[in-house]
Amino acid sequence: QVQLVESGGGLVQAGGSLRLSCAASGRTFSSYAMGWFRQAPGKEREFVAAIDWSGHSPTYTNSVKGRFTISRENAKNTVYLQRNSLKPEDAAVYYCAADKQYSKVVYTRTPDYWGQGTQVTVSS
C-alpha cells in the first residue's frame, strides 16, 4: 500500500507561481510512475502531468504546457509540481497519484493510489 500526502496548496495571485509537493510512503517510491490530477468545482477530474520512474519524458496536458513542470526526488520519496504563470482556471483541488504502470497514469488515467488533495486558489 502506498500513501500519498500533498502539500503546498493555497492562495496565489494570477500570474504567480506555486509548487506542490507529494510525499509518498514506502521503500519503493522510485519504481512508481507519478502523476498530478486536478478537479475544479462542477467539473470532472482532469489529468495534469505525469512522470515515469526514471524521471524522463514528462507528460503534460496541453493547457499547462510551458507553465507547469513535474519533477521527482526519489531519495526523498517526493514528487513536485511547479506551477508558473497561474491563471484563474488553474484553481482546483490537486491530487497526487501513483502506479507501477506508467500507462495507467498517462493513458487510462486510472492509477492505483491517490492522495487526499490540496486546494489551490488563484485570485484575479
Side-chain angles (χ1 to χ4, degrees):
Q1 186 75 25
V2 176
Q3 184 174 351
L4 306 173
V5 180
E6 303 96 334
S7 63
L11 176 64
V12 63
Q13 184 176 253
S17 300
L18 200 65
R19 188 178 75 165
L20 302 181
S21 299
C22 174
S25 66
R27 302 176 181 177
T28 58
F29 174 76
S30 62
S31 67
Y32 285 84
M34 305 294 296
W36 287 96
F37 293 75
R38 66 186 181 186
Q39 187 168 21
K43 296 185 178 181
E44 297 292 325
R45 187 173 295 179
E46 175 189 23
F47 169 79
V48 177
I51 189 167
D52 70 6
W53 52 90
S54 71
H56 299 299
S57 301
T59 301
Y60 305 92
T61 190
N62 287 336
S63 64
V64 307
K65 286 183 178 178
R67 300 188 298 117
F68 290 14
T69 302
I70 186 171
S71 62
R72 65 191 300 161
E73 192 169 0
N74 289 343
K76 296 183 177 180
N77 286 7
T78 302
V79 64
Y80 305 97
L81 184 68
Q82 177 68 45
R83 291 93 50 74
N84 300 325
S85 302
L86 286 166
K87 304 175 180 179
E89 52 263 42
D90 293 320
V93 176
Y94 283 73
Y95 297 90
C96 179
D99 200 284
K100 283 288 187 72
Q101 297 183 355
Y102 184 65
S103 63
K104 292 179 65 179
V105 178
V106 176
Y107 301 110
T108 67
R109 313 289 171 81
T110 56
D112 287 343
Y113 304 101
W114 294 89
Q116 295 300 306
T118 184
Q119 189 171 48
V120 174
T121 303
V122 183
S123 64
S124 60

